[in-house]
Amino acid sequence: MENFNRLNDLYFKKLLGDKKRKNLTLSFLHGVLNKDDKNYFTDISFLDKDNEPLTLDGKLSKLDIRADLNDGTQVDIEVQVCPFKLMAERSLYYWSKMYSEQLEKGAEYKKLKKAIAINLLAFDYLEDEQDWHNIYNLLNVKSHKKLTDHIEIHFLELPKFTLKDMRKIRVSEAWLAYFSGKYSKEELEEIAMTTPAIKEAVEFEDTFLQDKIERRAYEQREKAIRDYYSYMNAFKEEGLQQGLEQGMQKGLYQQAIQTAKNMLKDKVDIKLISKYTNLSVEEIKKINEE
């Protein structure tokens, strides 16, 4: 399928968030975390989130795969497709929850294990960094010595990624090449010669697209993303990005109502409509009932 989006939340979750293909998840983690044949994870257990609703707001732009590794390490993989300025703060927040949830009340701190947050971004985020892969720890500002190895936050920026040598490709580069969508099937086949997991990923992709139900669900999610961008662009063009409070004072209240009606017809989440029209949830519910 031309222009297939491998960061689509439904597809990504099925590819790397399913225990049936945990070998692919381990391959991805080993590459990103630079593990070798002497220091690697042997197993992974996923925190089941299949029952969470896929809404237009959070799940449109963010996907998380939570997992425990065989040595107790906690991992959170976040996929962000829409530009988000506070990515660092949000990643730190999710990391802190992951880290603190390890201990039950009264448990000893020595039971805490390393927690790793991996952010796969479809946009440029770290403006002062040239590399596509940047890792952050907790360091002394003078000596740069690490306080603890329990915190590790990764940012992988797809727009910055480019393969330098197809013959000397690392596992992490193979996965970024796959998710970037910049390389043809023929090039991915060449990459798969050095990274077998990519071959399996491409084969699963073909199977996924041949399934009519899966493909339909994928296309619906892609439409939701396109509609989201369309709405955001419309608001920017009309000067509504800063909020509609001043706009409504200038006679744009009816325009906000009409926008809400259009978004309701497209089955946009009520909370998201409220956020971008400045109408209350109660007002939007009343409009929906009418």
Side-chain angles (χ1 to χ4, degrees):
M1 180 180 181
E2 189 176 356
N3 298 324
F4 178 63
N5 178 18
R6 298 181 178 112
L7 296 183
N8 176 284
D9 52 4
L10 293 175
Y11 176 74
F12 191 95
K13 185 69 178 284
K14 288 182 179 295
L15 179 70
L16 293 188
D18 192 320
K19 61 183 180 181
K20 296 177 183 176
R21 283 171 292 282
K22 62 183 180 182
N23 63 305
L24 298 184
T25 315
L26 287 171
S27 171
F28 175 80
L29 291 175
H30 288 154
V32 172
L33 303 178
N34 198 28
K35 298 291 183 179
D36 54 32
D37 293 338
K38 297 180 180 179
N39 179 24
Y40 62 93
F41 302 116
T42 59
D43 201 6
I44 185 170
S45 299
F46 296 102
L47 178 63
D48 185 12
K49 291 196 173 186
D50 288 341
N51 293 325
E52 287 190 354
L54 291 172
T55 60
L56 244 183
D57 45 10
K59 283 298 176 180
L60 171 67
S61 57
K62 181 185 73 67
L63 165 75
D64 61 294
I65 294 177
R66 277 285 306 276
D68 300 333
L69 294 160
N70 60 285
D71 65 350
T73 298
Q74 308 287 298
V75 170
D76 180 45
I77 304 173
E78 302 282 346
V79 173
Q80 180 73 28
V81 298
C82 299
F84 188 65
K85 293 182 179 179
L86 300 178
M87 197 68 211
E89 289 80 359
R90 186 169 72 182
S91 183
L92 187 60
Y93 173 73
Y94 282 113
W95 176 90
S96 66
K97 288 188 65 178
M98 176 171 55
Y99 190 66
S100 62
E101 287 172 358
Q102 295 182 52
L103 288 187
E104 297 179 358
K105 188 175 181 179
E108 298 179 357
Y109 292 118
K110 66 181 181 180
K111 291 186 178 180
L112 287 167
K113 300 292 184 180
K114 185 174 186 175
I116 302 172
I118 299 173
N119 300 284
L120 182 57
L121 310 180
F123 57 95
D124 285 331
Y125 175 63
L126 303 170
E127 296 180 358
D128 297 329
E129 301 291 350
Q130 299 299 317
D131 292 338
W132 58 269
H133 185 186
N134 292 281
I135 308 169
Y136 293 86
N137 299 118
L138 196 59
L139 307 175
N140 184 308
V141 295
K142 293 183 179 180
S143 67
H144 292 175
K145 290 183 179 180
K146 191 184 297 185
L147 177 65
T148 174
D149 66 351
H150 275 208
I151 179 171
E152 191 171 300
I153 299 179
H154 296 248
F155 289 96
L156 311 174
E157 298 171 273
L158 285 171
K160 293 178 180 177
F161 174 78
T162 303
L163 269 181
K164 295 181 179 179
D165 190 340
M166 195 82 73
R167 297 165 297 179
K168 298 180 180 180
I169 188 170
R170 295 176 295 168
V171 175
S172 59
E173 293 175 323
W175 278 109
L176 264 288
Y178 175 74
F179 286 120
S180 71
K182 298 178 181 178
Y183 301 92
S184 65
K185 279 290 183 71
E186 292 73 20
E187 289 172 316
L188 288 178
E189 288 176 1
E190 186 177 347
I191 292 172
M193 294 177 66
T194 57
T195 311
I198 300 301
K199 179 181 180 181
E200 188 174 340
V202 172
E203 290 174 349
F204 173 73
E205 178 183 320
D206 291 337
T207 302
F208 177 89
L209 290 173
Q210 289 172 9
D211 188 309
K212 292 182 179 179
I213 296 176
E214 298 283 25
R215 182 162 179 160
R216 174 59 177 164
Y218 162 85
E219 290 172 347
Q220 288 178 329
R221 293 300 293 157
E222 288 299 288
K223 180 181 182 300
I225 294 173
R226 289 193 298 272
D227 290 346
Y228 176 88
Y229 277 119
S230 177
Y231 284 125
M232 295 307 100
N233 289 334
F235 287 133
K236 288 178 182 178
E237 291 173 3
E238 296 171 13
L240 300 179
Q241 184 64 19
Q242 291 79 27
L244 286 178
E245 184 174 349
Q246 294 179 347
M248 282 193 275
Q249 293 174 355
K250 297 177 182 178
L252 291 178
Y253 181 71
Q254 291 301 321
Q255 187 174 354
I257 292 177
Q258 186 58 49
T259 300
K261 288 180 179 179
N262 293 337
M263 295 177 81
L264 284 167
K265 288 179 181 179
D266 287 340
K267 298 181 180 180
V268 177
D269 184 78
I270 287 179
K271 291 182 180 179
L272 188 64
I273 298 175
S274 176
K275 178 178 179 181
Y276 289 104
T277 63
N278 211 30
L279 298 172
S280 69
V281 172
E282 290 69 26
E283 287 178 290
I284 296 168
K285 287 182 178 178
K286 186 176 180 180
I287 293 171
N288 194 32
E289 290 173 357
E290 293 174 353

